[in-house]
C-alpha cells in the first residue's frame, strides 16, 4: 500500500447491553446451597447476578443488546453487514446464534456467524471483526457477547453456581479511513492466544459429539485463578509493545469480569492504576463473553469512557484462551 492511500481502521460507533430482569442475590443463593453473602463477596467481589427467564434464549438477550448498541450508534439494522457473536451457550447446536439475531433484526444481507472462545469470546470477536473491516470486505460490524450460563450451571455445586450469570453486550464497529496514527480513533492493535492443554481446569462435561448431552460447567478454581493472574497479562504487554503506549497513558482498563481479586491483581501486575480499572463484576457476576461489553456499556453510559480515550480490553477463558484489544475510543 502506498503512502498516498489511506488505511482503514475499525472505529467504535456505539455500545449497548441487556441484562435479564430476574436478579439472584448472594442471599438468595445462601438459601439454595451452603454459602453466604460474606463468603461469596470476600472471595469474588460478586453481590448479584441476572438469570434468564424460562424461554429467554441467548439470541434474545443478544438481540436486545444489539438494538441498544445500534441506537447508541445512531444506526439501523440495515446498516450492518457483519455480525459476530461470541458465545458458549448458543440457542441451538446449529444454526448459529448470530444468524438468529440477524433474522430477529430483519437483516437479510451480509454475513453472521458465532465465535467460540468462552470468556474471551468478545475480545476474539472484536479482533476478528477488525480484520474483516480493515480488509475492506465489510463496512460495519455488530460484535456481540451473549450468554445464558445459568443453563449449564450445576446449581448444587457451590463453588461454581455463585460465580456466573446471564447477559449480553454489543459494540458497533465501522471501517473508516485512517493515516495509522496512534492518536486516531479505532482499534489500534489486538493480540490473541490459546493453549489447549488446560481443558480439565475449566470445561463443560458434555457436548454433542462426546456425550450427546449439554453437560455442566466444571472448574478447578485455584488453577484458573493462578493462570489468569500469572499468564494472561502477556497479551496486554504485547499491546503496549506493539503501539509504544505505556500503562500510564492508558485511560481505562476493561478486563473480563470474572473475579474482583483477579481484576485487581492483574492491573497491579501490569502497572495500571486502580482508578483506571472498570469493574462491574459485583453487578452481574461472570457473564463469560458478555462481561467485557457489559462493563464497557456501564462505563460509557456513566461518562467515564469518552471519545479519544485509550481503552484496553482483556479477557481469559476456558481452553485456555486469552486476548487483548487496545482501542482509541
Amino acid at each position: 500500500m502506498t503512502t498516498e492511500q489511506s488505511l482503514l481502521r475499525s472505529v467504535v460507533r456505539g455500545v449497548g447491553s441487556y441484562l435479564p430482569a430476574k436478579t439472584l442475590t448472594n442471599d438468595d443463593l445462601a438459601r439454595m446451597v451452603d454459602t453466604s453473602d460474606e463468603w461469596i463477596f470476600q472471595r469474588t467481589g460478586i453481590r448479584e447476578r441476572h438469570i434468564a427467564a424460562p424461554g429467554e434464549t441467548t439470541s434474545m438477550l443478544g438481540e436486545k443488546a444489539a438494538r441498544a448498541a445500534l441506537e447508541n450508534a445512531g444506526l439501523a439494522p440495515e446498516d450492518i453487514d457483519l455480525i459476530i457473536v461470541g458465545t458458549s451457550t448458543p440457542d441451538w447446536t446449529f444454526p448459529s446464534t448470530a444468524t438468529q439475531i440477524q433474522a430477529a433484526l430483519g437483516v437479510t444481507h451480509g454475513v453472521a456467524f458465532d465465535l467460540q472462545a468462552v470468556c474471551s469470546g468478545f475480545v476474539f470477536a472484536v479482533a476478528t471483526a477488525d480484520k474483516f473491516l480493515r480488509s475492506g470486505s465489510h463496512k460495519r460490524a455488530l460484535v456481540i457477547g451473549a450468554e445464558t450460563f445459568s443453563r449449564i450451571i450445576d446449581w448444587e455445586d457451590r463453588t461454581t453456581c455463585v460465580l456466573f450469570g446471564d447477559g449480553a453486550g454489543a459494540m458497533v464497529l465501522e471501517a473508516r479511513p485512517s493515516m495509522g496514527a496512534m492518536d486516531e480513533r479505532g482499534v489500534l492493535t489486538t493480540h490473541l492466544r490459546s493453549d489447549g492443554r488446560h481443558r480439565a481446569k475449566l470445561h463443560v462435561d458434555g457436548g454433542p459429539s462426546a456425550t450427546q448431552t449439554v453437560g455442566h460447567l466444571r472448574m478447578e478454581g485455584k488453577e484458573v485463578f493462578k493462570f489468569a493472574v500469572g499468564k494472561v497479562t502477556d497479551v496486554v504487554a504485547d499491546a503496549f509493545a506493539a503501539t509504544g503506549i505505556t500503562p500510564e497513558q492508558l485511560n481505562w482498563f476493561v478486563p473480563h469480569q470474572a473475579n474482583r481479586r483477579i481484576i485487581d491483581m492483574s492491573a497491579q501486575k501490569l502497572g495500571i492504576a486502580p482508578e483506571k480499572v472498570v469493574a462491574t463484576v459485583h453487578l452481574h457476576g461472570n457473564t463469560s463473553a458478555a462481561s467485557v461489553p457489559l462493563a464497557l456499556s456501564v462505563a460509557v453510559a456513566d461518562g467515564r469512557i469518552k471519545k479519544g480515550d485509550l481503552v484496553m480490553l482483556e479477557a481469559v477463558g476456558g481452553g485456555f484462551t486469552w486476548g487483548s484489544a487496545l482501542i482509541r475510543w
Side-chain angles (χ1 to χ4, degrees):
M1 182 172 286
T2 65
T3 54
E4 288 78 18
Q5 293 176 297
S6 64
L7 304 167
L8 289 172
R9 184 171 283 177
S10 307
V11 175
V12 178
R13 282 288 303 264
V15 294
S17 63
Y18 175 76
L19 289 166
K22 180 181 177 181
T23 300
L24 190 68
T25 67
N26 291 347
D27 287 333
D28 292 332
L29 281 167
R31 290 188 283 270
M32 298 165 57
V33 293
D34 182 17
T35 190
S36 68
D37 173 65
E38 182 182 18
W39 190 91
I40 297 169
F41 186 73
Q42 282 186 351
R43 287 160 178 79
T44 68
I46 299 169
R47 289 289 191 194
E48 61 186 31
R49 68 288 296 145
H50 291 253
I51 305 297
E56 190 175 32
T57 66
T58 296
S59 69
M60 293 176 184
L61 273 56
E63 180 203 351
K64 290 175 180 176
R67 290 191 183 278
L70 287 167
E71 182 178 355
N72 184 244
L75 295 170
E78 55 264 29
D79 296 319
I80 300 296
D81 57 1
L82 172 64
I83 301 173
I84 306 177
V85 176
T87 187
S88 297
T89 49
D91 292 12
W92 313 100
T93 300
F94 70 82
S96 72
T97 300
T99 59
Q100 302 311 287
I101 294 174
Q102 180 191 37
L105 292 172
V107 178
T108 57
H109 61 275
V111 63
F113 60 90
D114 289 356
L115 188 155
Q116 222 285 37
V118 199
C119 301
S120 304
F122 182 78
V123 174
F124 274 52
V126 167
T128 303
D130 177 52
K131 302 289 193 293
F132 273 82
L133 297 180
R134 287 194 293 111
S135 77
S137 66
H138 294 75
K139 176 64 176 174
R140 294 187 189 92
L142 192 53
V143 184
I144 303 166
E147 303 280 17
T148 49
F149 257 51
S150 63
R151 307 281 158 75
I152 57 169
I153 292 300
D154 179 352
W155 290 101
E156 296 181 356
D157 179 4
R158 70 170 189 160
T159 65
T160 57
C161 74
V162 302
L163 301 175
F164 296 92
D166 303 333
M171 173 188 287
V172 178
L173 289 171
E174 179 178 88
R176 290 186 182 176
S178 167
M179 298 308 294
M182 288 297 107
D183 60 354
E184 291 181 277
R185 294 182 63 207
V187 177
L188 303 183
T189 189
T190 60
H191 299 267
L192 308 179
R193 293 280 308 279
S194 59
D195 186 341
R197 296 174 296 173
H198 301 280
R199 185 193 71 86
K201 293 170 184 168
L202 180 56
H203 69 287
V204 168
D205 60 6
S209 183
T211 65
Q212 297 81 59
T213 64
V214 174
H216 290 110
L217 183 146
R218 306 299 179 192
M219 182 173 71
E220 297 175 12
K222 290 181 180 178
E223 291 301 312
V224 174
F225 187 97
K226 188 188 306 181
F227 188 90
V229 174
K231 300 282 188 181
V232 302
T233 49
D234 62 349
V235 289
V236 176
D238 288 346
F240 287 137
T243 58
I245 288 166
T246 66
E248 292 74 24
Q249 292 173 290
L250 202 64
N251 295 105
W252 300 105
F253 178 51
V254 187
H256 170 47
Q257 306 291 311
N259 179 304
R260 185 60 200 246
R261 289 194 297 166
I262 293 175
I263 292 170
D264 292 343
M265 291 176 71
S266 297
Q268 184 179 18
K269 183 178 178 183
L270 289 161
I272 298 171
E275 60 270 19
K276 296 181 178 182
V277 179
V278 175
T280 58
V281 68
H282 61 293
L283 299 172
H284 50 67
N286 184 344
T287 53
S288 188
S291 82
V292 169
L294 280 169
L296 278 172
S297 294
V298 169
V300 169
D302 67 21
R304 274 179 287 177
I305 295 179
K306 302 177 292 297
K307 189 177 291 186
D309 281 355
L310 272 172
V311 181
M312 179 74 77
L313 314 183
E314 176 269 333
V316 56
F320 283 124
T321 63
W322 64 106
S324 68
L326 180 60
I327 302 172
R328 175 74 70 178
W329 207 258

